Amino acid sequence: MASFRFFPFSFSQPSVPKPPRSTSSSRLSVSAVAVTVTVGGAAIVASRNPSVFSSHRSSPLTWGSIALADPSSGSTVVEPKTGFSFPATIGDSMRLLGVGLRRKSVLGLKNIDVYAFGMYADCDDVKKLVGEKYGNLPASELRGNKAFIDDLMEADIKMTIRLQIVYGKLNIRSVRSAFRDSVGNRLKKFGGLDNDELLQSFTSLFKDEYKIPRSSTIDMTQEPGHVLNVAIEGNQVGSVKSKLLCRSILDLYIGEEPFDKNAREDFLNNVASIAVDDKAAHEIQK
Ligand SMILES: CCCCCCCCCCCC(=O)O
């Protein structure tokens, strides 16, 4: 049964400013990266090479970005290292702005591919934030602007991080424990030491009875009002209302020490490109 917890937001001063080390090693060279986009059943290969997508976009910022393929066509984007695909849109408004891979070292010996992930955001919410606070900033400065990136993770923007399990031997206890480490660390970073109850409210959503075989999905969606909604295989398993928790989870993927640096870069490029396209549209209308 789905559960709902409410945690009022309060950020205290970061007392443990050291984030976990990124374990991602999915650094991909310009020539090596390939992302397949399928449109109407046909596969299109995208890469970080700027030329691939430049034909259908006006912005020079969108090199290597993958999500701005036609969202109305039911297209999907493939994470290149795992071959796992992600829909270009979820629902009416959420668009895929980056895909990546979470790798994790086991007993300090070898890295395993744990899950592929897709990062989605509501474009209208993103445009609203840019319009309200960053309208005067040139797009080239937007994607690297720390205040903007912090705002992206703190504003009331609808976003989903979809995990797709790659490692077939994963059980839900390992998921709980991995979240306890990674999210727990971020909660300390942004909220101080006293957040055990909040962390417990989140990890307890992952109940023993849930099975997560290879290719199953876990969606973590920030809904309006900073409600974190978790769904496993499309079934809602619970929600926690906490701005701190939402911020901490987004930081794992979009923050300064992300699990996959290239995925973050693509995400920020695509966010900037949405904003640029919106500004350009307004200029034309004037
Ligand atoms: C054997 C490795 C087990 C790792 C399980 C990770 C499962 C999901 C955790 C999500 C948060 C994170 O990536 O840290």
Coordinates of all heavy atoms in Angstrom, one line a residue, residues 10 12-17 184-199 244:
S10 N 13.4 22.3 6.1 CA 14.3 23.3 6.8 C 15.7 22.9 6.5 O 16.1 21.8 6.8 CB 14.0 23.3 8.3 OG 14.5 22.2 8.9
S12 N 19.4 23.4 7.4 CA 20.4 24.0 8.3 C 21.7 24.1 7.6 O 21.9 23.6 6.5 CB 20.5 23.1 9.6 OG 21.0 21.9 9.2
Q13 N 22.6 24.7 8.2 CA 23.9 24.9 7.6 C 24.6 23.5 7.4 O 24.5 22.6 8.2 CB 24.9 25.7 8.5 CG 24.5 27.1 8.5 CD 24.6 27.8 7.2 OE1 25.6 27.6 6.5 NE2 23.5 28.4 6.8
P14 N 25.2 23.3 6.2 CA 25.8 22.0 6.0 C 26.9 21.7 7.0 O 27.8 22.5 7.2 CB 26.4 22.1 4.6 CG 25.8 23.3 4.0 CD 25.3 24.2 5.1
S15 N 26.8 20.6 7.7 CA 27.8 20.4 8.7 C 28.8 19.3 8.2 O 29.9 19.2 8.8 CB 27.1 19.9 10.0 OG 26.4 18.7 9.7
V16 N 28.4 18.6 7.2 CA 29.3 17.6 6.7 C 29.4 17.9 5.2 O 28.7 17.3 4.4 CB 28.8 16.1 6.9 CG1 29.8 15.1 6.4 CG2 28.5 15.9 8.4
P17 N 30.3 18.8 4.8 CA 30.3 19.3 3.5 C 30.9 18.3 2.5 O 31.1 18.7 1.3 CB 31.0 20.6 3.6 CG 31.9 20.4 4.7 CD 31.3 19.5 5.6
G184 N 21.6 9.4 2.4 CA 22.0 9.8 3.8 C 23.1 10.8 3.8 O 23.1 11.8 4.5
N185 N 24.1 10.6 2.9 CA 25.2 11.5 2.8 C 24.8 12.9 2.4 O 25.3 13.9 2.9 CB 26.2 10.9 1.8 CG 27.6 11.5 1.9 OD1 27.7 12.7 1.8 ND2 28.6 10.6 2.2
R186 N 23.9 12.9 1.4 CA 23.5 14.3 0.9 C 22.6 14.9 1.9 O 22.6 16.2 2.1 CB 22.7 14.1 -0.4 CG 23.4 13.7 -1.7 CD 24.8 14.2 -1.8 NE 25.2 14.2 -3.2 CZ 26.1 13.4 -3.7 NH1 26.7 12.5 -2.9 NH2 26.5 13.5 -4.9
L187 N 21.8 14.2 2.7 CA 21.0 14.8 3.7 C 21.8 15.5 4.7 O 21.6 16.6 5.2 CB 20.1 13.8 4.4 CG 18.9 13.2 3.6 CD1 18.2 12.1 4.4 CD2 17.9 14.3 3.2
K188 N 23.0 14.8 5.1 CA 23.9 15.4 6.0 C 24.5 16.7 5.4 O 24.6 17.7 6.1 CB 25.0 14.5 6.3 CG 24.6 13.4 7.3 CD 25.9 12.6 7.8 CE 25.4 11.4 8.5 NZ 26.0 10.1 7.9
K189 N 24.8 16.6 4.1 CA 25.5 17.7 3.5 C 24.6 19.0 3.5 O 25.0 20.1 3.8 CB 25.8 17.3 2.0 CG 26.4 18.4 1.2 CD 26.7 17.9 -0.2 CE 27.1 19.1 -1.1 NZ 27.2 18.7 -2.5
F190 N 23.3 18.8 3.2 CA 22.4 19.9 3.1 C 21.6 20.2 4.3 O 21.1 21.3 4.5 CB 21.4 19.7 1.9 CG 22.1 19.6 0.6 CD1 22.1 18.4 -0.2 CD2 22.9 20.6 0.1 CE1 22.7 18.3 -1.4 CE2 23.5 20.5 -1.2 CZ 23.5 19.3 -1.9
G191 N 21.4 19.2 5.2 CA 20.5 19.4 6.3 C 21.1 19.1 7.6 O 20.3 19.2 8.6
G192 N 22.3 18.8 7.7 CA 22.9 18.5 9.0 C 22.7 17.0 9.5 O 22.2 16.2 8.7
L193 N 23.0 16.8 10.7 CA 23.1 15.4 11.2 C 21.8 14.8 11.5 O 21.6 13.6 11.5 CB 24.0 15.3 12.4 CG 25.5 15.6 12.1 CD1 26.3 15.6 13.4 CD2 26.1 14.5 11.2
D194 N 20.8 15.6 11.9 CA 19.6 15.1 12.5 C 18.5 14.8 11.5 O 17.4 15.4 11.5 CB 19.1 16.1 13.5 CG 18.0 15.5 14.4 OD1 17.9 14.3 14.4 OD2 17.3 16.3 15.0
N195 N 18.8 13.9 10.6 CA 17.8 13.6 9.6 C 17.5 12.1 9.4 O 17.0 11.6 8.4 CB 18.2 14.1 8.2 CG 18.0 15.6 8.2 OD1 16.9 16.1 8.3 ND2 19.1 16.4 8.1
D196 N 17.7 11.3 10.5 CA 17.5 9.9 10.5 C 16.1 9.5 10.2 O 15.8 8.6 9.4 CB 17.9 9.2 11.8 CG 19.5 9.3 11.9 OD1 20.1 9.7 11.0 OD2 19.9 8.9 13.0
E197 N 15.2 10.3 10.7 CA 13.8 9.9 10.6 C 13.3 10.1 9.1 O 12.6 9.3 8.5 CB 12.9 10.8 11.5 CG 11.5 10.2 11.8 CD 10.6 11.1 12.4 OE1 11.1 12.1 13.1 OE2 9.4 11.0 12.2
L198 N 13.8 11.2 8.6 CA 13.5 11.5 7.1 C 14.1 10.4 6.2 O 13.4 9.9 5.3 CB 14.1 12.9 6.8 CG 14.0 13.4 5.3 CD1 12.5 13.4 4.9 CD2 14.6 14.8 5.2
L199 N 15.3 10.1 6.5 CA 16.0 9.0 5.7 C 15.2 7.7 5.8 O 14.9 7.0 4.8 CB 17.4 8.9 6.1 CG 18.3 7.9 5.3 CD1 18.3 8.2 3.9 CD2 19.7 7.8 5.9
L244 N 14.1 19.0 1.4 CA 15.5 18.6 1.7 C 15.7 17.2 1.0 O 16.8 17.0 0.4 CB 15.7 18.5 3.2 CG 17.0 17.9 3.7 CD1 18.2 18.6 3.1 CD2 17.0 17.8 5.2

